[in-house]
Amino acid sequence: MRSRLRPGEEAVLVVRRHPIAVMGPAVVVLFTGGALAAATLAPNRAILAAAGAVFAVAALWALWRYADWRLDLWVVTTSRVIDESGVLTVRTVDSPLETINNVTCEQTIFGRMLGFGKVTIQTAAAHGAVSLEGIAQPETLRDAIIDMQVRRRQAVAGGGAGLNTPRSGT
């Protein structure tokens, strides 16, 4: 996580896109690697050079997609939800728990089988709604946001006690 936490703030849950997001590039690298291996048997060296160039491009693309996957994350803290993304240019969106009006979770049948889905966070803030697509553990993210909202309301009503206690199951 690249964002700094505020004094007294704790990270409760960190979620990334599902690893299936990098499966396409991995399959392309494997396929082009096989083509490169087969090209070593070709009598024409131009075929080997072309296969090597295609493999290099595929490997760089897969590396970029992996870095993008690794650096694209959502963090639920005791006071906000942080959406971080970007490899060279970093984009961070903070959604304070108080401004979150609604959290919805959608999963296709394929998403339910593999454990990924879409979470939409509707806020009263200027940026409106944030859609998080293809994320792992969408229900866990939704539940963590709702749980922290409830804890925050209880802490405000009760004078601030119990806000930084860790969630069960994390």
Side-chain angles (χ1 to χ4, degrees), residues 11-64:
V12 176
L13 179 69
V14 177
V15 178
R16 287 189 167 77
R17 289 194 193 284
H18 194 275
I20 201 164
V22 292
M23 290 306 295
V27 168
V28 170
V29 167
L30 289 174
F31 179 77
T32 57
L36 179 61
T40 60
L41 303 174
N44 186 349
R45 290 294 154 203
I47 293 173
L48 179 61
V54 170
F55 177 76
V57 168
L60 288 172
W61 175 63
L63 184 62
W64 180 266

Side-chain angles (χ1 to χ4, degrees), residues 89-100:
T89 301
V90 179
R91 180 185 142 270
T92 304
V93 177
D94 287 353
S95 299
L97 291 172
E98 293 81 14
T99 65
I100 296 175

Side-chain angles (χ1 to χ4, degrees), residues 102-116:
N102 193 18
V103 182
T104 58
C105 177
E106 295 178 39
Q107 285 184 288
T108 63
I109 191 163
F110 187 60
R112 286 194 311 266
M113 289 189 305
L114 295 176
F116 68 90

Side-chain angles (χ1 to χ4, degrees), residues 52-140:
V54 170
F55 177 76
V57 168
L60 288 172
W61 175 63
L63 184 62
W64 180 266
R65 290 289 304 266
Y66 174 76
D68 185 47
W69 171 79
R70 187 84 177 118
L71 296 171
D72 192 10
L73 55 91
W74 298 276
V75 182
V76 179
T77 73
T78 51
S79 64
R80 59 190 168 144
V81 176
I82 304 168
D83 176 6
E84 289 184 351
S85 61
V87 177
L88 298 177
T89 301
V90 179
R91 180 185 142 270
T92 304
V93 177
D94 287 353
S95 299
L97 291 172
E98 293 81 14
T99 65
I100 296 175
N101 296 328
N102 193 18
V103 182
T104 58
C105 177
E106 295 178 39
Q107 285 184 288
T108 63
I109 191 163
F110 187 60
R112 286 194 311 266
M113 289 189 305
L114 295 176
F116 68 90
K118 174 182 175 181
V119 174
T120 302
I121 301 171
Q122 295 175 342
T123 68
H127 55 79
V130 176
S131 289
L132 318 172
E133 303 225 14
I135 64 165
Q137 311 166 22
E139 294 156 333
T140 304

